[in-house]
Amino acid sequence: MPRPPRRRSYDQYCAAARALDAVGDRWTLLIVRELLAGPRRYTDLHADLPGVSTDVLASRLKDMERDGLAARHRLPAPVSAFVYELTARGRALLPVVTALAEWGAPELAEPRPTDAVRAHWFALPLLRRLEAMGVTDVVEVRLPEGVFHVRVGGDGTGPVYGEGPAPRGGTASRLELGADTCLAVNRGSLTVEEGLRGGRIRVSGDGSLATALRGHTDLRDLADPVVQMLGPAPMTGSAP
């Protein structure tokens, strides 16, 4: 089967230009952001990319398949649905997307009236901050806007975050905080430890992050009684 024609190129012998040939179109990097959570159905991608037309989404996905960034395959029965998943080359865009998110974070003030919001859009900037803490953990994050989880210290071969609570059956940590606090952590103007001491973040669970935070924070010095009650707690799929 002949290869489909390539999109218009910058025609510059430059690595940055070649990269933009592949991912510089509108929506492509946002599709990568969504697929960093793991395989997604077309309908799920469309739901979490408000504003994209069905034709444009289908076109971008075909381009990503052609350029070796994503692959489409059918899930086994009884699901039997087609999903899109990043290839190794597509997953290698993780530091690109997180760097762009960090660069764009100062532009996030109050949400505009037209802004859509999804809780998991906070995941990748937060993951970068948690990675700097040097732990390996699954961290469930609870915002008023929703719940997601991030995989801190992974090897980069699978999903780095996911919507909903942390998977059952393993150790995990839980952070509860507001969107403004999460933005402050993502920007680097507030550390998780500072948020804990100030009562802006609540921590529970038996994962390595929760254990490290309890070890680094003298809970007896905290005035907030809610924070003073923090301790190991089993992860559940529902809010406490």
Side-chain angles (χ1 to χ4, degrees):
M1 179 181 296
R3 288 171 60 86
R6 293 192 63 82
R7 299 188 304 276
R8 186 170 54 187
S9 170
Y10 287 101
D11 289 329
Q12 296 181 12
Y13 192 69
C14 163
R18 287 289 195 269
L20 289 172
D21 283 347
V23 301
D25 285 338
R26 192 180 183 201
W27 296 106
T28 299
L29 285 176
L30 295 183
I31 295 171
V32 172
R33 177 197 67 192
E34 296 301 312
L35 292 179
L36 284 166
R40 303 288 301 275
R41 296 180 299 180
Y42 176 89
T43 52
D44 296 330
L45 285 171
H46 190 257
D48 279 334
L49 291 166
V52 68
S53 71
T54 54
D55 288 346
V56 168
L57 178 57
S59 175
R60 294 295 180 271
L61 288 168
K62 287 180 181 177
D63 289 342
M64 291 174 68
E65 287 186 83
R66 180 200 58 208
D67 293 335
L69 302 178
R72 178 175 179 262
H73 61 88
R74 185 190 292 271
L75 294 176
V79 180
S80 296
F82 282 101
V83 294
Y84 292 88
E85 185 173 13
L86 291 177
T87 63
R89 184 162 175 77
R91 289 193 299 273
L93 288 165
L94 172 61
V96 176
V97 178
T98 53
L100 277 174
E102 183 167 5
W103 183 80
E107 301 299 320
L108 291 178
E110 289 296 316
R112 295 175 295 201
T114 56
D115 279 344
V117 180
R118 302 286 190 276
H120 70 270
W121 293 346
F122 292 82
L124 293 178
L126 181 61
L127 174 64
R128 184 166 182 156
R129 298 298 175 184
L130 297 179
E131 294 271 11
M133 299 178 70
V135 298
T136 299
D137 200 359
V138 176
V139 181
E140 180 177 306
V141 181
R142 292 180 170 268
L143 304 178
E145 291 76 9
V147 181
F148 61 89
H149 60 277
V150 294
R151 300 181 181 275
V152 183
D155 59 8
T157 60
V160 297
Y161 77 93
E163 294 186 75
R168 296 176 180 270
T171 60
S173 301
R174 180 192 295 131
L175 301 180
E176 297 180 60
L177 63 165
D180 58 340
T181 299
C182 193
L183 284 173
V185 173
N186 290 352
R187 291 190 188 108
S189 59
L190 179 77
T191 68
V192 175
E193 294 92 336
E194 290 167 344
L196 174 60
R197 294 189 188 98
R200 298 176 64 179
I201 299 175
R202 294 190 292 179
V203 180
S204 60
D206 55 359
S208 58
L209 177 66
T211 301
L213 287 171
R214 285 193 290 268
H216 293 162
T217 305
D218 189 348
L219 300 182
R220 295 169 299 179
D221 293 340
L222 297 176
D224 188 335
V226 174
V227 180
Q228 289 179 2
M229 293 171 61
L230 297 176
M235 298 299 298
T236 64
S238 59

